Amino acid sequence: MIYTYRKNGIILRFLLYFVFILSLTLFFILYPSGIPAILFLLILYCYAFLMLSPIFTEHSLTKDWLILRHGLGARIEIPLNKIESCGPYNGSLKKLRIGVYSPWKEKTLYVMADRESAVTLQLAEPMKVPAVLWKQVDSVVFDVEHRDIFLKNLRAQSGCSDAEEIH
């Protein structure tokens, strides 16, 4: 089964960024300044493409794996038998940023495209994640568009318990 991100926030951020890039492009077309300006624009357009890429990716729940995707650069594969508990994220939504990250002092991986509908997983044993420089994490927080349906299907396939039962 495939679960998508909420795309409204990503599209809005991309459109704002696109207007900024378009204005810079017009500036450099009207006032050419050589090779550095062209390289700068090329870097901006590559960055814009990477910002838009979460629209084309999603999370997958297969028979044995939960695959989390964020953009073109992050693919995290979690075996279903390593998931101990799962449930809705009850932490502060202000704390969550967009992207794939793991704060230095925490052992939690965040894979976020939108702050709404976040899910938290507790892993039975820590795993190393290449997307955050092979840091060991023991919990994962990510978002899906239809959280309740996703959690129901995840519990049915992995046998994980509710997150509130563990803590």
Side-chain angles (χ1 to χ4, degrees):
M1 302 196 92
I2 294 177
Y3 301 91
T4 58
Y5 292 107
R6 290 180 182 237
K7 296 176 172 85
N8 299 343
I10 295 169
I11 292 172
L12 179 63
R13 284 191 305 272
F14 177 75
L15 289 176
L16 291 173
Y17 191 73
F18 186 73
V19 168
F20 173 70
I21 288 177
L22 191 59
S23 63
L24 279 177
T25 304
L26 290 174
F27 174 78
F28 284 122
I29 288 173
L30 297 175
Y31 301 101
S33 60
I35 300 293
I38 293 171
L39 290 175
F40 179 71
L41 285 176
L42 184 64
I43 290 170
L44 280 178
Y45 280 110
C46 289
Y47 185 70
F49 178 71
L50 290 176
M51 273 185 61
L52 186 63
S53 66
I55 288 177
F56 304 113
T57 59
E58 60 267 337
H59 304 313
S60 302
L61 185 58
T62 66
K63 182 180 170 189
D64 298 321
W65 297 89
L66 170 62
I67 301 168
L68 305 176
R69 296 286 312 249
H70 184 56
L72 299 174
R75 178 184 168 103
I76 297 123
E77 298 176 347
I78 302 171
L80 292 181
N81 59 2
K82 286 191 177 184
I83 298 174
E84 186 175 305
S85 67
C86 57
Y89 177 72
N90 295 323
S92 170
L93 292 179
K94 291 181 180 180
K95 176 183 171 184
L96 299 177
R97 303 188 322 244
I98 305 302
V100 178
Y101 62 95
S102 179
W104 182 256
K105 294 182 180 181
E106 293 182 27
K107 287 193 168 193
T108 302
L109 171 69
Y110 295 91
V111 182
M112 304 300 298
D114 189 48
R115 292 183 178 130
E116 302 295 320
S117 300
V119 173
T120 184
L121 302 177
Q122 291 292 340
L123 303 176
E125 58 188 53
M127 64 180 273
K128 290 186 178 185
V129 180
V132 288
L133 301 175
W134 289 273
K135 182 178 178 184
Q136 279 197 341
V137 297
D138 58 8
S139 62
V140 181
V141 176
F142 59 97
D143 63 303
V144 293
E145 192 168 10
H146 304 287
R147 177 173 59 188
D148 297 332
I149 294 170
F150 172 79
L151 286 172
K152 177 182 165 192
N153 292 336
L154 180 64
R155 287 180 183 132
Q157 284 191 284
S158 71
C160 66
S161 61
D162 193 4
E164 287 120 13
E165 293 175 9
I166 298 294
H167 294 89

